Amino acid sequence: TGVADRTPMMVLPDAIDFMKRVGADRALAESQRLCKYLCDRLENIGLHRAGPTHPKLTSTLAIFELDPELAGSLRIRLWDEYRILCPVTRCAGRFYLRVSLAWYYTEAMLDRLVDAMTIEIKRANPQRDVA
């Protein structure tokens, strides 16, 4: 197949050792905390969660339904204008913003996404009041 990037395989032992030191339970708890933080912030600017909201059913994946006028080229704009890599998917004619939270993310990283989404919501619908 040609050239392959061997870096992930080379650092895997170090990554496993680091995860053992952090602890899987601690990493999961931090990912869940960050997921709640992001969901609260995105709901505050008017996005609607597409996934479960009950604490026993939530995970570390935040999914929000997007208006079609917002979703169009959102993934490209998030990268080109804000350097945020975030999937925008389509399923059964609906559009979704999907954020997979990892324990090593920071609130500041998530705040950048919320700030970008606030701008993009206003851009897609200038009459909409966004907090």
Side-chain angles (χ1 to χ4, degrees), residues 18-101:
F18 182 70
M19 185 59 161
K20 285 178 182 177
R21 287 194 311 272
V22 169
D25 291 341
R26 185 172 154 204
L28 177 60
E30 179 62 6
S31 296
Q32 290 172 327
R33 185 192 72 77
L34 289 169
C35 188
K36 181 179 181 342
Y37 176 83
L38 179 64
C39 288
D40 290 347
R41 298 274 335 266
L42 289 175
E43 286 175 332
N44 191 46
I45 64 169
L47 292 181
H48 302 285
R49 278 181 86 169
T53 57
H54 189 280
K56 291 189 176 194
L57 298 176
T58 58
S59 68
T60 61
L61 184 65
I63 304 170
F64 286 84
E65 188 165 356
L66 299 172
D67 295 332
E69 62 273 3
L70 174 61
S73 60
L74 179 62
R75 183 188 61 76
I76 293 166
R77 285 191 316 277
L78 284 174
W79 177 251
D80 288 349
E81 295 181 29
Y82 310 100
R83 287 301 186 242
I84 297 172
L85 186 59
C86 190
V88 175
T89 60
R90 184 176 181 173
C91 181
R94 294 181 175 177
F95 295 92
Y96 301 94
L97 177 74
R98 182 178 60 80
V99 184
S100 181
L101 282 295

